[in-house]
Amino acid sequence: MYLFDKVKTIASCDGLSAAVADEAAFIRLNSSEYVLFPGFCDVHVHFREPGFSYKETILSGSLAAAHGGYTAVCTMPNLNPVPDCPEKLRPQREQIARDAVMAVFPYGAISVDEKGEQLADLEGLAPLVCAFSDDGHGVQDAGMMREAMQRCRALGKLIAAHCEDNSLLHGGCIHDGAWARAHGYRGISSESEWRQIERDLRLADETGCRYHVCHISTKESVCLIRDAKSSGVDVSCETAPHYLLLDENDLQEDGRFKMNPPLRAREDREALLEGLTDGTVDMIATDHAPRHRRPRDGLSPALHRSGPARHPGPFPACRSADAAAEKPLRPARPRRLQHLGSERSGNRRSRCLSLKGACHALCRAAGQRPLSPDGL
């Protein structure tokens, strides 16, 4: 049985109702159809602000996340301005303090303007960000990545790498596989991803830097990371729901199917599912990245559609939930419940939603839409 406080959405197990002084203050749900999880953490989102508020804002993005059961997110630095020094990070931090309705932790850029030509002010940013990333761009120069890792190791910070070797892209737009060949498209090779992961794993082993790989999509990436973990490299990785659910056989002549990394072959998807099951893949991250011509779908479908779809073997719901709730970046302690909604925002609805998403996520056991107390 679950009891929902009409203000804070507190849930309880069987037997707690006897200890509740005023049961009228609670909404009661007695059903085996739902599963209660801890609040989810998404380590890879794009809230588009500052610089691209016509796509999304920190307010709208955090509202969507909170309503989907997320209590903390980490926002990528491909913004305008790119947060490559404390001065350029300040506008984002001010907007987070003003508008976010749940815990939002920004990344700092690895390189100035994410161009890979000069390292960012890592020392100045370190106390203000959860980790460093040039998401959207691979760091092409091995010497620069080595120096970044050395400095991050000294600072006790993690590097979250978008791994993509530009020399192996060849103008591709989808996976270099059977579908691309059948339809006359240039393909993006799997090697463009795993080759840079292979390089970075050697550098992480050499420098001792904590290293995280963003949105892996290939079977080779899974194998490399599994081997690195077994040899003691301090590495973690994520994949995204679409790489677990879809592959090149699902492609259509539709821009919605164009993404980076692209949807890969079926054997890649199966390797990712196996890696998630055996712990090689540490977490599911949405890579939530709204575009201005599409509706803001929010984050709520992420976990509830990332279950055992088309996977022939066992894939327990608890493993999927664990992967969505992981906090491998170990940011500063999230703000307490009373601080999740900013009183200064003057947005009563947003503060209410933030509280409702602040403690837990209640999902349909069969992997359907999450339950919102508003819908009870």
Side-chain angles (χ1 to χ4, degrees):
M1 178 182 296
Y2 303 114
L3 296 176
F4 294 92
D5 185 312
K6 292 178 181 179
V7 176
K8 290 181 290 187
T9 316
I10 296 175
S12 69
C13 300
D14 291 334
L16 185 61
S17 57
V20 176
D22 183 12
E23 290 196 28
F26 289 82
I27 300 170
R28 183 185 300 271
L29 175 67
N30 190 2
S31 174
S32 61
E33 185 181 0
Y34 302 99
V35 178
L36 185 68
F37 294 119
F40 304 132
C41 174
D42 195 336
V43 302
H44 192 137
V45 303
H46 301 263
F47 279 177
R48 304 303 196 190
E49 197 174 38
F52 307 98
S53 58
Y54 60 93
K55 297 180 180 181
E56 181 162 72
T57 65
I58 288 168
L59 174 60
S60 68
S62 61
L63 277 171
H67 200 66
Y70 287 80
T71 60
V73 298
C74 302
T75 54
M76 286 297 176
N78 48 343
L79 302 167
N80 186 15
V82 172
D84 53 30
C85 64
E87 292 74 21
K88 290 184 180 179
L89 178 65
R90 185 177 298 113
Q92 184 185 6
R93 296 186 70 214
E94 290 174 350
Q95 287 170 315
I96 290 171
R98 183 183 68 242
D99 295 334
V101 302
M102 33 85 75
V104 176
F105 300 100
Y107 282 89
I110 296 173
S111 66
V112 174
D113 289 332
E114 290 196 325
K115 292 182 177 180
E117 298 172 353
Q118 177 184 349
L119 286 179
D121 181 4
L122 305 181
E123 287 75 15
L125 287 166
L128 308 174
V129 299
C130 62
F132 292 99
S133 180
D134 269 4
D135 188 56
H137 308 276
V139 176
Q140 303 303 306
D141 184 80
M144 175 172 286
M145 181 58 97
R146 177 184 288 106
E147 183 182 352
M149 286 188 176
Q150 289 169 338
R151 288 167 63 178
C152 284
R153 172 72 175 83
L155 293 166
K157 303 300 287 189
L158 177 145
I159 282 185
H162 172 115
C163 289
E164 186 173 44
D165 187 329
N166 292 348
S167 69
L168 298 172
L169 295 179
H170 308 305
C173 60
I174 59 175
H175 174 59
D176 185 14
W179 203 93
R181 291 189 290 272
H183 293 79
Y185 286 104
R186 291 183 180 179
I188 300 174
S189 69
S190 296
E191 188 178 4
S192 66
E193 174 180 300
W194 66 257
R195 184 66 72 185
Q196 198 164 97
I197 293 175
E198 184 179 52
R199 179 202 74 180
D200 285 356
L201 289 171
R202 288 197 299 267
L203 295 175
D205 188 29
E206 173 189 326
T207 63
C209 178
R210 292 167 54 211
Y211 176 65
H212 177 79
V213 192
C214 297
H215 45 53
I216 67 169
S217 65
T218 75
K219 63 182 186 295
E220 293 90 352
S221 301
V222 176
C223 290
L224 285 167
I225 292 166
R226 182 182 288 120
D227 291 346
K229 286 187 172 188
S230 67
S231 66
V233 179
D234 193 353
V235 58
S236 60
C237 69
E238 69 193 48
T239 192
H242 37 288
Y243 303 121
L244 300 172
L245 294 170
L246 303 171
D247 57 50
E248 65 174 349
N249 296 311
D250 299 297
L251 289 172
Q252 300 175 20
E253 293 279 0
D254 188 318
R256 293 176 302 164
F257 290 84
K258 183 179 179 182
M259 59 199 69
N260 190 28
L263 297 175
R264 302 290 187 181
R266 179 161 64 179
E267 54 265 32
D268 294 300
R269 181 174 59 81
E270 291 173 348
L272 290 167
L273 286 164
E274 181 182 354
L276 187 63
T277 304
D278 69 22
T280 300
V281 179
D282 298 271
M283 67 208 73
I284 301 168
T286 64
D287 199 1
H288 170 78
R291 302 296 196 269
H292 67 289
R293 297 196 178 193
R294 296 196 310 208
R296 293 171 185 159
D297 294 329
L299 299 173
S300 57
L303 175 74
H304 319 294
R305 297 191 61 196
S306 61
R310 300 190 299 170
H311 183 40
F315 190 83
C318 60
R319 181 70 192 105
S320 182
D322 287 344
E326 287 280 359
K327 299 180 177 62
L329 303 184
R330 296 192 287 273
R333 183 178 180 86
R335 288 169 287 176
R336 299 297 296 172
L337 181 65
Q338 63 268 25
H339 294 150
L340 292 179
S342 172
E343 296 290 343
R344 290 171 292 175
S345 70
N347 188 326
R348 184 174 181 180
R349 174 66 172 166
S350 69
R351 287 190 286 116
C352 180
L353 276 177
S354 72
L355 292 171
K356 287 182 177 179
C359 297
H360 71 281
L362 186 66
C363 311
R364 293 184 187 274
Q368 302 170 18
R369 292 182 64 251
L371 175 72
S372 165
D374 290 342
L376 290 177

